[in-house]
Amino acid sequence: METRLRKSVRLVGVVSVVGLMLMSACAKSTTPSAGGGGGSPAQSGSTTISTASVSGVGTALVDAKGLTLYYLTTETPGKIKCTGSCASAWPPLLLPTGATSATAGSGVEASKLGTIARPDGGTQVTYNGMPLYLFASDQAPGQDTGQGVEGFNVATASGMAASSSSGGRY
């Protein structure tokens, strides 16, 4: 009987920990940009795109916070495929309300920056015609945990990154 009770208590403990972890992950605080789209956290002013060194891929495009930017290899210029649950895992880089364009920072050619209207709302920043995304698992500058995941690659100033061996899901 005592062994059974211990197993039950242990099971309740494990289930509680897993439940708390799931609730914590779901409660991640982000304020959507105007226009929705499951996008990146709200930004004020303008959106600046720069370059920075990212270990494993070299010089990558980054947002104003230094977070690595990605593109979806199965998308083509002018066409967005990443919506819904994809946009939750891969928040689109959106312009803040009132902004009409992104700003080119260090290492970025202003003529390659553009925008595209998202089918689920908002205006997404593009580079060389390709929509730009963040990866929800990247939490600090210099991380590239999304490289090669679900058809996404790190975006670079030349528009190319190390190719991915995993196929595209979106």
Side-chain angles (χ1 to χ4, degrees):
M1 177 79 166
E2 186 176 322
T3 303
R4 190 176 204 186
L5 180 61
R6 283 185 182 168
K7 285 182 181 179
S8 294
V9 169
R10 194 175 332 179
L11 179 62
V12 169
V14 169
V15 170
S16 297
V17 169
V18 170
L20 287 172
M21 288 173 33
L22 287 173
M23 289 182 354
S24 174
C26 291
K28 182 179 173 187
S29 175
T30 60
T31 307
S33 296
S40 55
Q43 303 160 345
S44 59
S46 67
T47 300
T48 301
I49 311 301
S50 301
T51 58
S53 179
V54 175
S55 179
V57 294
T59 303
L61 295 180
V62 297
D63 71 356
K65 295 178 183 176
L67 295 175
T68 304
L69 295 172
Y70 299 86
Y71 68 97
L72 179 56
T73 59
T74 59
E75 287 183 334
T76 56
K79 178 72 175 151
I80 291 176
K81 291 183 178 180
C82 184
T83 60
S85 64
C86 174
S88 294
W90 299 91
L93 183 65
L94 300 175
L95 288 178
T97 302
T100 58
S101 64
T103 303
S106 174
V108 173
E109 291 182 48
S111 63
K112 291 185 177 183
L113 285 173
T115 60
I116 185 170
R118 286 192 54 80
D120 51 0
T123 302
Q124 187 168 356
V125 178
T126 63
Y127 192 76
N128 217 17
M130 297 299 289
L132 296 175
Y133 299 88
L134 297 158
F135 185 44
S137 293
D138 286 350
Q139 298 297 309
Q143 292 182 327
D144 67 339
T145 59
Q147 172 62 18
V149 176
E150 298 175 342
F152 283 84
N153 280 342
V154 171
T156 65
S158 66
M160 305 297 282
S163 63
S164 141
S165 60
S166 62
R169 185 173 119 187
Y170 298 104

